[in-house]
Amino acid sequence: MNYTDPAPVSAENYDDDTVRGFVFFTMFWGAVGMLAGLWAALELAFWQCNMESPYLSFGRLRPLHTNAVIFAFSGNAIFASVYYSVQRLCRTRTASDVLSKIHLWGWQLIIVLDAVCLLSGFTDGKEYAEPVWIVDQLITLIWVVFGANFFWTLARRREKHLYVAIWFYIATIITIAVLHLVNNLSIPVTLFKSYIVWSGVQDALIQWWYGHNAVGFLLTTPFLGMMYYYLPKAANRPVYSYRLSIIHFWSLIFIYIWAGPHHLLYTALPDWAQTLGMCFSLMLLAPSWGGMLNGLLTLKGAWEKVRTDPILKFFVVALTFYGMSTFEGPMLSIRSVSALGHYTDWIVGHVHGGALGWVGFTVFAVFYWLVPRLYGTKLYSERLATIHFWIGTVGIVLYMVSMWITGVTQGLMWRAFSPDGSLTYSFIETTKNLFPYYLVRAMGGGLYLLGLLLMAFNLVATARSGRALNPPVPAESVRPSRLEQV
Ligand code: HEM
Ligand code: HEM
């Protein structure tokens, strides 16, 4: 089948119930995960916030936060966006309703089990791969369900052309599967305990090959796919350069996978491997900025809308933060810069520029566009969305700037030597200096969370003013030219 020969699609409807489910859980887990982050931030300023309870200790709360925001908030947002856009891009209903439901509920079960384990102190102790082996098995199963449903849907598609967003989704599904399997290869000894098969520096290398590519293929490629589908929709413009988007895709996925060793500079990893990681990280600037520019230039001719449309505001700032963290990241990969920044809060600032700015704001832009369409109505309050935008932006700036200051302070104080060769500052002196900035970070995080809650209110009110729709699949192709593939 092709464009000139569209199949009659009679009684088929899109499945948007699954999308609504994922949207709901994104908001719910987003609030939980960010509250845990805020609590952890407060603990760093006032240790008394741990209430002397093991369940609230920083060591348990921190992975709860990272797991919740990465797998639950970002994960559910990705699934919602993929299920909605893939059906439209393929002009067919998702292949299997049963698999969609298993995916939706299975993923929430994983999140609950993981949270219970982490709070109870059961962890694999590998960053972003903390879930214990039994939860890892469930993740594998549900990921296979997702992949099967996705590729089956592609096989049933009524549009010949695979729009670039789908390529980014494919890269996500395949790469995350490989990373998860290899980094979690372990021998179970009890229900919650296993031993990883890798050891020593190989373990470290594989862990950071995983860790860096979790950023690349969970916090970057699916969000680029979302950018390529939803931004042209929101701006009502074709994507600036389709050719650039293809070059962007292939160069990004080829380069990303080699950059992991930048997490292991000045370690036992062989020097050549560290240098290779550093070089690939520097090269990564080019495709990243190519993608950012392709996004921003898509707004050519629509810039005046940015003044009034909160959705476009969120997109522009998301892309700007993407550009910023993909400039900062390559700089942090240079050995001499890493010598200052590694182990300090500068890295935490870098992380949250990407996480709050790029990931969070893309989710907000997409959801403000999506939810009114899922309920056949208008957004309850554009004004509230604009307030959310400003609160969120100020929150990110407070978070990042305070972490830059604490990071550089730590880096400089830790490496200061007295003329007799001893360290100039004790650890506690450095820590005391950081206190005011930790307060500022907590304020920034608090504002960001407040913004999320405003959005939840706005979207619930939107949903209540409409009704849940599952629109029919159009019989005719609505995408006459390649540039309008969105
Ligand atoms: C209300 C908003 C948030 C607050 C207050 C917050 C706070 C924190 C805190 C206090 C830490 C621990 C830092 C440390 O160990 O010194 C942290 C780590 C982290 N957070 Fe957040 N966070 C927020 C939102 C997010 C979001 C939305 C994401 C991802 C989408 C995210 C991803 C991460 C990651 C990946 C780390 C680990 C950083 C590292 O190892 O360098 N956070 N966060
Ligand atoms: C060109 C793109 C990027 C490069 C080359 C890069 C490079 C780096 C480097 C060198 C570090 C510090 C490692 C260390 O000293 O410990 C780092 C940490 C990190 N980056 Fe990036 N970064 C990039 C983009 C991003 C983006 C867009 C995000 C978020 C969406 C992000 C999330 C993270 C996270 C979560 C960590 C902390 C890992 C940890 O220690 O737990 N990065 N990155």
Side-chain angles (χ1 to χ4, degrees):
M1 267 165 251
N2 55 41
Y3 299 120
T4 52
D5 180 27
V9 188
S10 62
E12 199 178 270
N13 283 60
Y14 290 128
D15 165 27
D16 284 349
D17 290 334
T18 308
V19 182
R20 280 182 282 269
F22 280 122
V23 167
F24 170 80
F25 283 117
T26 305
M27 302 306 298
F28 178 73
W29 293 123
V32 173
M34 290 184 209
L35 187 64
L38 181 58
W39 203 280
L42 285 169
E43 285 186 2
L44 288 172
F46 307 102
W47 64 266
Q48 295 85 343
C49 288
N50 68 27
M51 296 175 176
E52 304 202 22
S53 155
Y55 300 102
L56 288 181
S57 63
F58 184 78
R60 295 191 191 180
L61 214 53
R62 187 188 191 278
L64 180 78
H65 163 61
T66 54
N67 279 242
V69 284
I70 295 177
F71 301 115
F73 170 67
S74 312
N76 276 306
I78 294 167
F79 301 142
S81 313
V82 168
Y83 274 88
Y84 182 89
S85 57
V86 165
Q87 294 184 84
R88 270 74 184 174
L89 288 168
C90 293
R91 214 159 43 83
T92 183
R93 189 185 174 91
T94 320
S96 161
D97 288 359
V98 176
L99 291 183
S100 302
K101 292 286 166 284
I102 296 177
H103 181 190
L104 173 65
W105 292 105
W107 196 253
Q108 313 318 316
L109 176 69
I110 288 169
I111 293 164
V112 173
L113 288 178
D114 187 31
V116 171
C117 286
L118 290 174
L119 285 178
S120 320
F122 295 108
T123 167
D124 274 3
K126 283 158 77 82
E127 197 162 23
Y128 315 130
E130 286 93 350
V132 294
W133 74 271
I134 189 100
V135 179
D136 284 340
Q137 306 295 317
L138 264 178
I139 295 176
T140 309
L141 180 73
I142 297 301
W143 202 261
V144 169
V145 166
F146 173 37
N149 208 5
F150 176 89
F151 287 111
W152 189 3
T153 307
L154 293 198
R156 294 175 70 238
R157 72 186 190 275
R158 296 194 172 87
E159 290 287 343
K160 188 160 167 270
H161 181 74
L162 281 180
Y163 180 63
V164 66
I166 296 184
W167 286 99
F168 279 102
Y169 301 155
I170 293 175
T172 304
I173 294 174
I174 294 177
T175 317
I176 291 294
V178 175
L179 295 168
H180 174 71
L181 289 179
V182 176
N183 192 41
N184 286 300
L185 266 186
S186 53
I187 301 163
V189 283
T190 67
L191 204 55
F192 298 111
K193 175 79 197 151
S194 62
Y195 288 102
I196 194 81
V197 299
W198 316 112
S199 62
V201 75
Q202 281 85 3
D203 186 22
L205 181 60
I206 288 172
Q207 158 60 28
W208 281 111
W209 165 75
Y210 164 90
H212 172 75
N213 288 301
V215 170
F217 290 85
L218 210 63
L219 300 182
T220 302
T221 51
F223 288 88
L224 287 169
M226 285 150 76
M227 185 269 278
Y228 275 120
Y229 179 80
Y230 293 95
L231 173 63
K233 286 272 189 199
N236 204 13
R237 319 263 320 148
V239 64
Y240 170 69
S241 164
Y242 199 73
R243 181 168 301 175
L244 178 58
S245 73
I246 304 295
I247 298 171
H248 172 205
F249 171 77
W250 287 110
S251 51
L252 189 95
I253 60 160
F254 173 71
I255 297 174
Y256 233 113
I257 208 84
W258 300 97
H262 65 220
H263 291 267
L264 296 168
L265 301 178
Y266 298 108
T267 64
L269 189 73
D271 235 31
W272 66 264
Q274 295 183 27
T275 307
L276 190 77
M278 183 179 110
C279 292
F280 272 91
S281 305
L282 285 165
M283 282 154 63
L284 201 49
L285 181 65
S288 304
W289 275 49
M292 171 194 69
L293 290 174
N294 211 2
L296 288 177
L297 288 169
T298 297
L299 290 168
K300 220 169 85 178
W303 277 101
E304 81 290 345
K305 283 198 213 161
V306 178
R307 275 194 294 136
T308 49
D309 184 348
I311 299 176
L312 293 185
K313 281 189 170 58
F314 274 112
F315 266 125
V316 168
V317 172
L319 280 162
T320 311
F321 274 108
Y322 180 62
M324 239 165 84
S325 35
T326 55
F327 175 77
E328 189 183 34
M331 295 307 119
L332 282 168
S333 311
I334 299 171
R335 270 202 185 82
S336 48
V337 182
S338 174
L340 180 71
H342 190 57
Y343 299 128
T344 74
D345 285 338
W346 186 354
I347 308 301
V348 179
H350 162 70
V351 170
H352 288 84
L356 304 178
W358 163 238
V359 171
F361 268 33
T362 304
V363 174
F364 303 154
V366 169
F367 278 20
Y368 278 123
W369 184 89
L370 188 58
V371 171
R373 283 162 179 81
L374 290 174
Y375 290 91
T377 183
K378 278 188 140 59
L379 185 63
Y380 172 72
S381 167
E382 291 228 344
R383 207 172 119 76
L384 212 53
T386 308
I387 294 174
H388 174 196
F389 167 79
W390 286 111
I391 292 182
T393 306
V394 173
I396 305 173
V397 172
L398 290 181
Y399 196 127
M400 285 185 68
V401 173
S402 57
M403 289 300 98
W404 281 332
I405 298 173
T406 54
V408 175
T409 306
Q410 287 169 322
L412 291 177
M413 288 181 82
W414 289 344
R415 58 151 95 174
F417 288 98
S418 305
D420 65 359
S422 63
L423 289 174
T424 311
Y425 303 103
S426 66
F427 189 76
I428 196 70
E429 278 176 290
T430 314
T431 311
K432 275 187 186 160
N433 258 302
L434 310 179
F435 176 72
Y437 304 103
Y438 280 172
L439 286 184
V440 175
R441 185 251 301 269
M443 271 166 52
L447 283 178
Y448 195 86
L449 177 58
L450 178 66
L452 181 90
L453 297 177
L454 285 183
M455 171 171 171
F457 169 77
N458 205 350
L459 295 186
V460 169
T462 305
R464 289 171 70 116
S465 72
R467 62 190 178 85
L469 298 176
N470 289 310
V473 176
E476 296 293 326
S477 174
V478 287
R479 302 176 189 94
S481 88
R482 223 157 78 107
L483 276 186
E484 286 158 31
Q485 279 290 318
V486 291

